[in-house]
Amino acid sequence: MDIASFVTSLVTSFVIFVVLVLVFTWLSSRPGNAPVYYPSVLLRGMDPWEGRGRGTRSPVGWLRQALSASEGDVVAAGGVDAAVYLVFLSSVLSILVFSGVVLLPVLLPVAGTDHALETAALNSDKAPQNFTQLERLALGNVRVKSLRLWAFLLAVYWVSFVTYFVLWKSYKHVSNLRAAARSTPDVKPEEFAVLVRDVPMPPPDQTIKDSVDSYFRALHPDTFYRSMVVTDHKKADKIYQEIEGHKQKIARAEVVYAESKTASKPEGTKPMHRIGFLGLIGKKVDTIEYCNDQIKELVPKLEAEQKTTLRDKQKQAAIVFFNRRSAAASASQTLHAQMFDRWIVEQAPEPRQIIWPNLCKKVYERQIRQVVVYGIVFLTVVFYMVPITAISALTTLEKLREKLPFLKVVVDQPEIKTVLQAYLPQLALIVFLALLPSLLMFLSKSEGIPSQSHTVRAAAGKYFYFIVFNVFLGVTITSTLFKSLTTIIDNPTGIVNMLANSLPGSATFFLTFVALKFFVGYGLELSRLVPLIIFHLKRKYLCKTEDDVRAAWAPGDLGYNTRVPNDMLIVTIVLCYSVIAPLIIPFGVAYFALGWIIAKNQVLRVYVPSYESYGRMWPHMHTRIIAALLIYQTTMVGVILLKQFLYSPILVPLIPISFIFAYITHMRFYPAFAKTPLEVVQHDVKETPNMDAIYTAYIPACLRPEKLEDVDIFEDAQSHTTSRAPSI
């Protein structure tokens, strides 16, 4: 890409961003759009414009509010997970700022005043080449064996130690943030419960419920409260969902019926629908009467299925409750059985994020599933490069002109050619990547993971390896796919040389890629044009009740399973090019600075957390940043070696240093994330917990009793403690 195309891409992206910010400022100030731009504020029962002056309607009003919000405000609005995500963004931003302060003023003059590119062109038999200013300011313009390479070698050390320092401080901060959240006096159901898997089959005269109760009452006689055996409630849930669907239809029909009543026709017109396929064929019936009849018919079926489920469909897993949260934390960290495949006890997930079908999967089945899933992921990661490589090849203008001759008239226009060169490959890559996350979430759930937050972390890890291998390596290594794979398989260390040869040539592509991601991507994120259009279409044509309207503007959460890996891709790109092409650092700073402030605004105003894992994503983030750093260090060893610099082996110790740093941080901080320390949960809660309410929170909706007093008859074999009053 020439300098004109690069500047065109950059300027166009910036103009689009400015336009989107202005559109956001105008649209977000209109009261009718509040459910799109302030859903989190509305759900917390607050007025979006309360206490906000006219300055909030200026293009930078939202910016001032986001900057002034404290970390406590973020936790209150979006939970600890959102606060930890912002820590991740600010940590990477700090790494790039501290690195850029040294690298930009040092490396740019060192590279720009050398003449390796001109010398290579003069000694080549090929036609003279015009090198862009971007290429002249990169490592490629430094001659082989030059003493100037000392600057680049020392820069690698600087970036590495800056990363170590920032990551250590951030890990410590997140650990304290997690501990503070877990030690609050608020009553949380998951803090009084543990998940028990691989429960052995009881004797014929006992139910699984009896077995669990007797086992834990014997081991925890003073703190055991009661247990809830996991059941196969698919059929009950299906009936329950049918009943809820009919209730929603009745609510909509009643609204339509009320609207049909006019002064000229006070009796109105009762809504009708057909009961055949998709409501297009079959007998026409009165919607309200038909749905009421269906509910009357389904309710006895649900009650009968509930009894059958609780009595005959018990599975070999349970949620066990304790009357003190310190007792639950202690039990989750204790080895209960001599054999590892029996009575496996772990912390219970939040009630809202439990994946019920996965709880009863046996340990051997989970291990086999994990091996199979990772095999599928490996094949997906490796062979997904086929279409990625095809896209990278086919979306060049030369290939389009060759394969589609009728486009020559269009693409040969200078203005169109410049825009297409700037955007076409990047847009094709971004669209193609959007197809993958659903598959990875499905595969992660198939492993038998018990909670939604754990599934998100697992899917994010798979997605990270995918995009690094296929996007970063796939775009960088410009040779054919199978030649590259053959080289890597035959000589695994050859990938270092391949990267070292290919990275400098891809610098401009990734500069444009990063610019497109933060200007256009964050502009669309802030403006929320797509959710706005969808909301207004739904409200106008589909919504009949308040519940329908509320569902139409439900914002969801931050989507960590795709957001974090995409950010990690930018981390990997910017780190790897920080010394090769230092001009990428300002783009990385802009990406993470904009990302931090826009994500903070969205957390405070828009997104609603679907779960709370108290920052369990941070060890994943930390490990992936270390992985990106290792890729960077390994690549730089190869790049400096190709420059035939005598002292390039000095970089080699950085790789074991990174592994040692990762090991030390893991040993020091990770145990407090894997388990909840007893010193954190030993503090008293502010009120005596209602154990029946805690127990009921874990009952699936399709089995839940209508009254809290009916908890005691929830299961036929319900265990009864001698004292229900918890001792705190």
Side-chain angles (χ1 to χ4, degrees):
M1 182 187 296
D2 58 27
I3 191 68
S5 298
F6 174 74
V7 173
T8 299
S9 170
L10 192 62
V11 172
T12 307
S13 299
F14 178 73
V15 170
I16 292 173
F17 177 75
V18 171
V19 170
L20 290 173
V21 170
L22 294 175
V23 169
F24 159 75
T25 304
W26 178 62
L27 291 175
S28 63
S29 64
R30 300 173 67 87
N33 295 333
V36 176
Y37 294 102
Y38 305 98
S40 176
V41 178
L42 293 173
L43 287 174
R44 282 179 281 149
M46 302 164 59
D47 182 354
W49 289 280
E50 182 181 355
R52 302 183 185 184
R54 294 182 59 184
T56 61
R57 302 195 179 191
S58 71
V60 296
W62 65 273
L63 189 63
R64 288 197 296 268
Q65 292 170 10
L67 288 172
S68 63
S70 66
E71 190 171 63
D73 297 330
V74 173
V75 173
V80 178
D81 290 331
V84 168
Y85 175 67
L86 294 179
V87 171
F88 159 69
L89 294 178
S90 62
S91 299
V92 178
L93 178 61
S94 299
I95 291 170
L96 297 181
V97 169
F98 289 139
S99 300
V101 166
V102 173
L103 268 58
L104 290 172
V106 173
L107 298 188
L108 292 182
V110 170
T113 55
D114 211 340
H115 310 285
L117 294 176
E118 289 86 347
T119 303
L122 290 174
N123 295 333
S124 174
D125 296 333
K126 298 180 181 179
Q129 301 180 43
N130 293 322
F131 298 101
T132 67
Q133 193 62 33
L134 296 175
E135 293 171 312
R136 297 176 190 274
L137 295 175
L139 177 59
N141 196 38
V142 178
R143 289 167 295 174
V144 297
K145 301 181 181 180
S146 171
L147 291 178
R148 294 171 183 251
L149 292 170
W150 269 112
F152 294 87
L153 187 149
L154 295 176
V156 178
Y157 267 89
W158 172 252
V159 173
S160 298
F161 280 94
V162 163
T163 303
Y164 301 147
F165 173 77
V166 172
L167 287 182
W168 181 273
K169 299 286 287 185
S170 298
Y171 216 143
K172 185 177 181 180
H173 174 68
V174 172
S175 182
N176 292 334
L177 185 64
R178 173 179 166 86
R182 296 308 297 262
S183 61
T184 58
D186 300 323
V187 176
K188 307 178 187 74
E190 65 273 13
E191 293 183 346
F192 292 84
V194 297
L195 170 62
V196 183
R197 309 174 83 176
D198 299 281
V199 176
M201 286 300 297
D205 59 337
Q206 270 191 337
T207 64
I208 296 177
K209 170 72 175 174
D210 296 330
S211 176
V212 173
D213 284 352
S214 60
Y215 186 81
F216 279 89
R217 188 175 288 112
L219 295 178
H220 305 274
D222 298 326
T223 55
F224 171 75
Y225 174 68
R226 60 166 58 165
S227 69
M228 177 192 301
V229 173
V230 175
T231 57
D232 179 6
H233 55 265
K234 290 181 182 178
K235 187 174 180 180
D237 188 62
K238 181 180 179 181
I239 299 173
Y240 174 79
Q241 295 300 333
E242 288 183 30
I243 294 174
E244 292 300 306
H246 287 305
K247 289 180 180 179
Q248 292 175 3
K249 290 179 182 178
I250 290 173
R252 295 191 192 104
E254 287 176 343
V255 172
V256 173
Y257 182 42
E259 291 175 349
S260 69
K261 295 179 180 180
T262 61
S264 59
K265 193 178 181 181
E267 70 279 5
T269 302
K270 289 191 174 183
M272 309 286 285
H273 76 278
R274 298 184 183 275
I275 59 175
F277 179 71
L278 296 177
L280 301 175
I281 58 174
K283 180 182 176 183
K284 205 169 188 179
V285 296
D286 181 319
T287 300
I288 296 176
E289 291 183 2
Y290 175 79
C291 290
N292 277 320
D293 291 340
Q294 289 296 305
I295 291 175
K296 290 178 182 178
E297 182 181 333
L298 289 171
V299 166
K301 290 184 179 179
L302 177 60
E303 293 174 349
E305 182 58 31
Q306 286 175 336
K307 293 178 181 179
T308 302
T309 299
L310 297 174
R311 183 180 63 250
D312 301 329
K313 297 184 179 181
Q314 296 183 15
K315 297 296 182 179
Q316 292 173 259
I319 308 289
V320 175
F321 300 87
F322 295 85
N323 55 27
R324 291 202 303 268
R325 60 182 185 179
S326 58
S330 178
S332 69
Q333 302 174 42
T334 304
L335 183 65
H336 282 72
Q338 184 177 355
M339 305 301 292
F340 88 100
D341 58 349
R342 306 176 71 181
W343 300 106
I344 298 177
V345 181
E346 59 190 79
Q347 289 180 319
E350 281 185 309
R352 58 180 171 173
Q353 60 168 312
I354 288 181
I355 304 175
W356 290 103
N358 285 352
L359 299 189
C360 56
K361 288 181 170 54
K362 305 292 287 183
V363 60
Y364 296 113
E365 181 185 355
R366 298 197 298 271
Q367 291 174 343
I368 293 171
R369 282 172 170 266
Q370 189 175 47
V371 171
V372 171
V373 165
Y374 275 91
I376 295 173
V377 170
F378 173 78
L379 295 176
T380 303
V381 167
V382 172
F383 291 103
Y384 225 74
M385 190 185 278
V386 176
I388 287 284
T389 305
I391 285 177
S392 298
L394 294 176
T395 52
T396 61
L397 287 186
E398 292 74 15
K399 287 294 182 181
L400 288 178
R401 294 175 78 258
E402 177 185 337
K403 301 297 182 182
L404 303 172
F406 62 88
L407 291 178
K408 289 182 180 179
V409 178
V410 178
V411 300
D412 286 344
Q413 297 294 323
E415 297 82 4
I416 298 176
K417 181 178 180 180
T418 299
V419 174
L420 289 178
Q421 282 183 330
Y423 283 115
L424 192 59
Q426 291 86 351
L427 285 174
L429 185 60
I430 289 171
V431 171
F432 194 73
L433 286 174
L435 305 176
L436 186 70
S438 297
L439 171 63
L440 297 180
M441 280 294 291
F442 169 77
L443 290 174
S444 297
K445 286 183 179 180
S446 300
E447 292 182 46
I449 293 172
S451 66
Q452 184 68 20
S453 61
H454 192 173
T455 302
V456 168
R457 295 196 299 274
K462 297 176 179 67
Y463 195 33
F464 167 76
Y465 293 118
F466 170 84
I467 59 178
V468 167
F469 188 85
N470 285 286
V471 179
F472 180 64
L473 300 184
V475 171
T476 301
I477 299 174
T478 55
S479 57
T480 62
L481 166 67
F482 294 105
K483 180 180 177 182
S484 300
L485 287 178
T486 302
T487 303
I488 294 171
I489 293 171
D490 293 342
N491 180 21
T493 58
I495 192 172
V496 177
N497 289 331
M498 294 171 65
L499 278 173
N501 280 308
S502 303
L503 270 173
S506 303
T508 308
F509 172 87
F510 282 118
L511 281 171
T512 311
F513 182 77
V514 174
L516 183 65
K517 290 275 285 184
F518 73 75
F519 275 140
V520 179
Y522 283 137
L524 289 172
E525 166 80 19
L526 185 66
S527 65
R528 289 182 62 78
L529 291 178
V530 175
L532 179 70
I533 294 170
I534 293 174
F535 166 69
H536 283 294
L537 288 175
K538 284 184 175 181
R539 187 171 66 173
K540 184 175 180 61
Y541 297 107
L542 299 177
C543 297
K544 300 297 182 183
T545 66
E546 288 299 321
D547 288 339
D548 291 340
V549 175
R550 194 174 295 109
W553 56 259
D557 58 18
L558 275 166
Y560 300 105
N561 61 308
T562 55
R563 187 180 290 263
V564 173
N566 278 308
D567 292 337
M568 288 294 181
L569 173 63
I570 304 301
V571 173
T572 306
I573 291 171
V574 177
L575 279 180
C576 286
Y577 281 97
S578 60
V579 172
I580 294 174
L583 276 179
I584 202 171
I585 294 177
F587 290 88
V589 168
Y591 177 90
F592 286 100
L594 272 177
W596 178 80
I597 195 65
I598 290 177
K600 193 173 183 181
N601 176 78
Q602 303 300 78
V603 167
L604 293 169
R605 297 182 174 187
V606 179
Y607 293 117
V608 178
S610 59
Y611 61 80
E612 176 63 271
S613 69
Y614 301 99
R616 281 288 278 113
M617 179 67 87
W618 175 256
H620 161 89
M621 296 170 173
H622 174 86
T623 303
R624 302 302 178 263
I625 295 175
I626 295 295
L629 184 67
L630 284 166
I631 294 173
Y632 156 68
Q633 292 168 342
T634 306
T635 302
M636 289 310 303
V637 170
V639 170
I640 302 297
L641 276 173
L642 286 179
K643 287 291 185 178
Q644 302 176 28
F645 189 51
L646 180 63
Y647 301 100
S648 56
I650 293 176
L651 290 176
V652 174
L654 278 176
I655 297 174
I657 289 173
S658 293
F659 279 109
I660 293 170
F661 174 78
Y663 175 77
I664 292 174
T665 52
H666 179 86
M667 295 297 293
R668 181 176 178 86
F669 297 112
Y670 181 74
F673 285 79
K675 304 291 184 182
T676 301
L678 294 182
E679 68 177 6
V680 170
V681 294
Q682 69 178 353
H683 304 289
D684 293 341
V685 292
K686 62 183 178 183
E687 60 185 23
T688 302
N690 185 336
M691 295 305 299
D692 282 345
I694 291 173
Y695 182 83
T696 305
Y698 278 92
I699 301 177
C702 61
L703 303 177
R704 189 170 298 160
E706 294 184 3
K707 299 179 181 179
L708 193 62
E709 304 85 63
D710 295 336
V711 167
D712 289 342
I713 57 173
F714 168 66
E715 291 183 290
D716 295 336
Q718 184 69 58
S719 64
H720 298 280
T721 57
T722 57
S723 176
R724 294 293 172 84
S727 54
I728 305 299

